[in-house]
Short mmCIF file of all heavy atoms in Angstrom, two decimals:
data_model
loop_
_atom_site.label_atom_id
_atom_site.label_comp_id
_atom_site.label_asym_id
_atom_site.label_seq_id
_atom_site.Cartn_x
_atom_site.Cartn_y
_atom_site.Cartn_z
N LEU A 55 52.16 53.84 1.62
CA LEU A 55 51.05 53.27 2.38
C LEU A 55 49.78 53.22 1.54
O LEU A 55 49.07 52.20 1.52
CB LEU A 55 50.80 54.08 3.65
CG LEU A 55 49.62 53.63 4.51
CD1 LEU A 55 49.87 52.23 5.07
CD2 LEU A 55 49.37 54.62 5.63
N LEU A 56 49.50 54.28 0.80
CA LEU A 56 48.33 54.29 -0.07
C LEU A 56 48.45 53.25 -1.18
O LEU A 56 47.47 52.60 -1.55
CB LEU A 56 48.11 55.68 -0.67
CG LEU A 56 47.64 56.74 0.32
CD1 LEU A 56 47.59 58.10 -0.36
CD2 LEU A 56 46.29 56.38 0.89
N GLY A 57 49.65 53.06 -1.71
CA GLY A 57 49.87 52.03 -2.72
C GLY A 57 49.64 50.64 -2.15
O GLY A 57 49.04 49.77 -2.80
N ALA A 58 50.10 50.41 -0.93
CA ALA A 58 49.90 49.10 -0.30
C ALA A 58 48.42 48.86 -0.02
O ALA A 58 47.91 47.74 -0.22
CB ALA A 58 50.70 49.03 1.00
N LEU A 59 47.71 49.89 0.42
CA LEU A 59 46.26 49.74 0.65
C LEU A 59 45.53 49.46 -0.66
O LEU A 59 44.62 48.63 -0.71
CB LEU A 59 45.69 50.99 1.31
CG LEU A 59 46.06 51.21 2.77
CD1 LEU A 59 45.54 52.57 3.25
CD2 LEU A 59 45.52 50.10 3.63
N GLY A 60 45.93 50.13 -1.73
CA GLY A 60 45.32 49.89 -3.03
C GLY A 60 45.60 48.49 -3.53
O GLY A 60 44.74 47.84 -4.13
N LEU A 61 46.79 47.99 -3.26
CA LEU A 61 47.14 46.64 -3.66
C LEU A 61 46.26 45.60 -2.97
O LEU A 61 45.88 44.59 -3.56
CB LEU A 61 48.61 46.39 -3.34
CG LEU A 61 49.27 45.15 -3.89
CD1 LEU A 61 49.23 45.16 -5.40
CD2 LEU A 61 50.70 45.06 -3.41
N VAL A 62 45.91 45.87 -1.74
CA VAL A 62 45.05 44.93 -0.99
C VAL A 62 43.57 45.12 -1.34
O VAL A 62 42.83 44.15 -1.46
CB VAL A 62 45.26 45.14 0.53
CG1 VAL A 62 44.28 44.34 1.34
CG2 VAL A 62 46.68 44.78 0.91
N ARG A 63 43.15 46.35 -1.57
CA ARG A 63 41.73 46.64 -1.72
C ARG A 63 41.19 46.55 -3.14
O ARG A 63 40.01 46.29 -3.32
CB ARG A 63 41.43 48.05 -1.19
CG ARG A 63 41.75 48.27 0.27
CD ARG A 63 40.68 47.81 1.15
NE ARG A 63 39.45 48.48 0.74
CZ ARG A 63 38.29 48.26 1.29
NH1 ARG A 63 38.19 47.43 2.26
NH2 ARG A 63 37.22 48.88 0.86
N PHE A 64 42.02 46.82 -4.16
CA PHE A 64 41.51 46.85 -5.53
C PHE A 64 41.11 45.45 -5.99
O PHE A 64 41.75 44.47 -5.64
CB PHE A 64 42.53 47.47 -6.47
CG PHE A 64 42.66 48.96 -6.33
CD1 PHE A 64 43.83 49.59 -6.68
CD2 PHE A 64 41.63 49.73 -5.85
CE1 PHE A 64 43.96 50.96 -6.57
CE2 PHE A 64 41.75 51.10 -5.73
CZ PHE A 64 42.91 51.71 -6.08
N PRO A 65 40.07 45.36 -6.83
CA PRO A 65 39.50 44.05 -7.15
C PRO A 65 40.18 43.29 -8.28
O PRO A 65 40.09 42.07 -8.32
CB PRO A 65 38.06 44.40 -7.56
CG PRO A 65 38.17 45.77 -8.14
CD PRO A 65 39.24 46.45 -7.33
N ASP A 66 40.83 43.96 -9.22
CA ASP A 66 41.32 43.23 -10.39
C ASP A 66 42.80 43.52 -10.64
O ASP A 66 43.39 44.41 -10.04
CB ASP A 66 40.49 43.56 -11.62
CG ASP A 66 40.45 45.04 -11.93
OD1 ASP A 66 40.89 45.83 -11.09
OD2 ASP A 66 39.99 45.41 -13.02
N VAL A 67 43.37 42.74 -11.55
CA VAL A 67 44.81 42.81 -11.81
C VAL A 67 45.26 44.17 -12.33
O VAL A 67 46.26 44.71 -11.82
CB VAL A 67 45.22 41.68 -12.78
CG1 VAL A 67 46.68 41.81 -13.17
CG2 VAL A 67 44.97 40.33 -12.15
N PRO A 68 44.60 44.79 -13.32
CA PRO A 68 45.11 46.09 -13.79
C PRO A 68 45.14 47.17 -12.71
O PRO A 68 46.11 47.92 -12.62
CB PRO A 68 44.15 46.47 -14.92
CG PRO A 68 43.56 45.20 -15.38
CD PRO A 68 43.49 44.33 -14.17
N SER A 69 44.13 47.23 -11.90
CA SER A 69 44.14 48.26 -10.86
C SER A 69 45.16 47.93 -9.77
O SER A 69 45.76 48.83 -9.19
CB SER A 69 42.74 48.44 -10.27
OG SER A 69 42.26 47.24 -9.75
N ARG A 70 45.37 46.66 -9.49
CA ARG A 70 46.40 46.30 -8.51
C ARG A 70 47.79 46.61 -9.04
O ARG A 70 48.67 47.00 -8.29
CB ARG A 70 46.30 44.82 -8.16
CG ARG A 70 45.13 44.53 -7.25
CD ARG A 70 45.09 43.10 -6.86
NE ARG A 70 43.93 42.87 -6.01
CZ ARG A 70 43.51 41.69 -5.66
NH1 ARG A 70 44.13 40.61 -6.09
NH2 ARG A 70 42.47 41.56 -4.88
N LEU A 71 47.99 46.39 -10.35
CA LEU A 71 49.28 46.75 -10.94
C LEU A 71 49.52 48.25 -10.84
O LEU A 71 50.64 48.70 -10.61
CB LEU A 71 49.35 46.30 -12.39
CG LEU A 71 49.57 44.82 -12.62
CD1 LEU A 71 49.47 44.49 -14.10
CD2 LEU A 71 50.90 44.39 -12.07
N GLN A 72 48.47 49.00 -11.04
CA GLN A 72 48.56 50.47 -10.92
C GLN A 72 48.98 50.84 -9.50
O GLN A 72 49.86 51.66 -9.30
CB GLN A 72 47.20 51.08 -11.26
CG GLN A 72 47.11 52.56 -11.03
CD GLN A 72 47.72 53.35 -12.15
OE1 GLN A 72 48.02 52.83 -13.19
NE2 GLN A 72 47.93 54.63 -11.91
N ALA A 73 48.34 50.21 -8.52
CA ALA A 73 48.65 50.51 -7.12
C ALA A 73 50.04 50.00 -6.73
O ALA A 73 50.69 50.59 -5.87
CB ALA A 73 47.60 49.88 -6.21
N ALA A 74 50.49 48.95 -7.38
CA ALA A 74 51.79 48.39 -7.02
C ALA A 74 52.95 49.16 -7.63
O ALA A 74 54.06 49.10 -7.11
CB ALA A 74 51.87 46.93 -7.46
N THR A 75 52.71 49.87 -8.72
CA THR A 75 53.84 50.53 -9.38
C THR A 75 53.90 52.03 -9.13
O THR A 75 54.90 52.53 -8.64
CB THR A 75 53.82 50.27 -10.89
OG1 THR A 75 52.56 50.64 -11.42
CG2 THR A 75 54.08 48.82 -11.19
N LYS A 76 52.86 52.75 -9.46
CA LYS A 76 52.97 54.22 -9.41
C LYS A 76 53.13 54.77 -8.01
O LYS A 76 54.10 55.49 -7.75
CB LYS A 76 51.79 54.84 -10.13
CG LYS A 76 51.83 54.49 -11.60
CD LYS A 76 51.04 55.41 -12.42
CE LYS A 76 51.14 54.88 -13.84
NZ LYS A 76 50.89 55.79 -14.85
N PRO A 77 52.25 54.49 -7.05
CA PRO A 77 52.46 55.08 -5.72
C PRO A 77 53.70 54.53 -5.02
O PRO A 77 54.38 55.26 -4.30
CB PRO A 77 51.21 54.72 -4.93
CG PRO A 77 50.24 54.19 -5.89
CD PRO A 77 50.98 53.79 -7.12
N GLN A 78 54.01 53.25 -5.25
CA GLN A 78 55.18 52.68 -4.61
C GLN A 78 56.46 53.32 -5.16
O GLN A 78 57.38 53.61 -4.40
CB GLN A 78 55.22 51.16 -4.83
CG GLN A 78 54.07 50.43 -4.21
CD GLN A 78 54.07 50.49 -2.70
OE1 GLN A 78 55.09 50.74 -2.06
NE2 GLN A 78 52.92 50.27 -2.10
N THR A 79 56.50 53.52 -6.46
CA THR A 79 57.67 54.15 -7.06
C THR A 79 57.81 55.59 -6.59
O THR A 79 58.90 56.04 -6.24
CB THR A 79 57.58 54.10 -8.59
OG1 THR A 79 57.47 52.74 -9.00
CG2 THR A 79 58.79 54.73 -9.24
N LEU A 80 56.70 56.32 -6.57
CA LEU A 80 56.73 57.70 -6.07
C LEU A 80 57.14 57.73 -4.60
O LEU A 80 57.94 58.57 -4.20
CB LEU A 80 55.36 58.36 -6.25
CG LEU A 80 55.24 59.77 -5.69
CD1 LEU A 80 56.12 60.73 -6.46
CD2 LEU A 80 53.80 60.22 -5.70
N GLY A 81 56.60 56.82 -3.80
CA GLY A 81 56.95 56.78 -2.38
C GLY A 81 58.43 56.52 -2.17
O GLY A 81 59.10 57.19 -1.37
N LEU A 82 58.97 55.53 -2.90
CA LEU A 82 60.40 55.24 -2.78
C LEU A 82 61.23 56.43 -3.26
O LEU A 82 62.23 56.79 -2.63
CB LEU A 82 60.76 53.99 -3.57
CG LEU A 82 62.23 53.60 -3.54
CD1 LEU A 82 62.65 53.19 -2.14
CD2 LEU A 82 62.49 52.49 -4.52
N LEU A 83 60.82 57.04 -4.34
CA LEU A 83 61.52 58.20 -4.88
C LEU A 83 61.60 59.32 -3.83
O LEU A 83 62.66 59.89 -3.58
CB LEU A 83 60.82 58.70 -6.14
CG LEU A 83 61.33 59.96 -6.75
CD1 LEU A 83 62.29 59.63 -7.89
CD2 LEU A 83 60.19 60.79 -7.28
N LEU A 84 60.47 59.61 -3.19
CA LEU A 84 60.44 60.68 -2.19
C LEU A 84 61.25 60.33 -0.95
O LEU A 84 61.96 61.19 -0.39
CB LEU A 84 59.00 61.01 -1.83
CG LEU A 84 58.18 61.67 -2.94
CD1 LEU A 84 56.72 61.80 -2.52
CD2 LEU A 84 58.75 63.01 -3.32
N VAL A 85 61.18 59.09 -0.51
CA VAL A 85 61.95 58.67 0.67
C VAL A 85 63.45 58.76 0.37
O VAL A 85 64.24 59.25 1.19
CB VAL A 85 61.55 57.25 1.11
CG1 VAL A 85 62.54 56.68 2.11
CG2 VAL A 85 60.16 57.27 1.72
N LEU A 86 63.85 58.29 -0.81
CA LEU A 86 65.27 58.35 -1.15
C LEU A 86 65.75 59.79 -1.35
O LEU A 86 66.88 60.13 -0.98
CB LEU A 86 65.54 57.52 -2.40
CG LEU A 86 65.41 56.00 -2.22
CD1 LEU A 86 65.60 55.29 -3.53
CD2 LEU A 86 66.37 55.49 -1.17
N LEU A 87 64.90 60.65 -1.92
CA LEU A 87 65.28 62.06 -2.04
C LEU A 87 65.40 62.72 -0.67
O LEU A 87 66.31 63.53 -0.44
CB LEU A 87 64.27 62.81 -2.90
CG LEU A 87 64.35 62.58 -4.40
CD1 LEU A 87 63.21 63.31 -5.11
CD2 LEU A 87 65.69 63.02 -4.94
N GLY A 88 64.49 62.38 0.24
CA GLY A 88 64.58 62.91 1.60
C GLY A 88 65.83 62.45 2.30
O GLY A 88 66.46 63.21 3.05
N THR A 89 66.23 61.21 2.04
CA THR A 89 67.47 60.71 2.63
C THR A 89 68.68 61.37 1.97
O THR A 89 69.66 61.69 2.65
CB THR A 89 67.54 59.17 2.44
OG1 THR A 89 66.36 58.59 2.98
CG2 THR A 89 68.75 58.59 3.14
N ALA A 90 68.61 61.58 0.66
CA ALA A 90 69.74 62.19 -0.07
C ALA A 90 70.01 63.61 0.41
O ALA A 90 71.15 64.07 0.35
CB ALA A 90 69.45 62.18 -1.56
N VAL A 91 68.98 64.30 0.87
CA VAL A 91 69.17 65.67 1.37
C VAL A 91 70.06 65.67 2.61
O VAL A 91 70.86 66.58 2.81
CB VAL A 91 67.80 66.33 1.67
CG1 VAL A 91 67.96 67.62 2.42
CG2 VAL A 91 67.03 66.54 0.38
N GLN A 92 69.99 64.63 3.41
CA GLN A 92 70.70 64.59 4.68
C GLN A 92 72.12 64.03 4.60
O GLN A 92 72.92 64.28 5.48
CB GLN A 92 69.90 63.75 5.70
CG GLN A 92 68.63 64.40 6.16
CD GLN A 92 68.90 65.64 6.99
OE1 GLN A 92 69.84 65.71 7.76
NE2 GLN A 92 68.06 66.64 6.82
N VAL A 93 72.42 63.23 3.57
CA VAL A 93 73.73 62.57 3.54
C VAL A 93 74.70 63.35 2.66
O VAL A 93 74.32 64.28 1.94
CB VAL A 93 73.59 61.11 3.03
CG1 VAL A 93 72.74 60.29 3.99
CG2 VAL A 93 73.04 61.06 1.63
N GLU A 94 75.98 62.93 2.69
CA GLU A 94 76.99 63.59 1.87
C GLU A 94 76.79 63.23 0.40
O GLU A 94 76.05 62.33 0.05
CB GLU A 94 78.41 63.25 2.33
CG GLU A 94 78.75 61.79 2.37
CD GLU A 94 78.32 61.11 3.67
OE1 GLU A 94 77.95 61.77 4.64
OE2 GLU A 94 78.35 59.88 3.66
N PHE A 95 77.48 63.94 -0.49
CA PHE A 95 77.24 63.86 -1.92
C PHE A 95 77.47 62.45 -2.48
O PHE A 95 76.72 62.00 -3.34
CB PHE A 95 78.12 64.87 -2.66
CG PHE A 95 77.94 64.81 -4.15
CD1 PHE A 95 76.80 65.34 -4.72
CD2 PHE A 95 78.89 64.21 -4.95
CE1 PHE A 95 76.61 65.28 -6.10
CE2 PHE A 95 78.73 64.16 -6.32
CZ PHE A 95 77.58 64.69 -6.89
#
Side-chain angles (χ1 to χ4, degrees):
L55 177 64
L56 289 175
L59 288 174
L61 191 61
V62 173
R63 300 277 304 177
F64 286 154
D66 57 349
V67 174
S69 58
R70 285 183 181 170
L71 284 174
Q72 174 80 12
T75 54
K76 295 200 183 202
Q78 297 294 339
T79 302
L80 176 67
L82 179 66
L83 174 97
L84 292 173
V85 167
L86 290 176
L87 284 176
T89 306
V91 169
Q92 290 292 324
V93 297
E94 57 275 348
F95 179 74

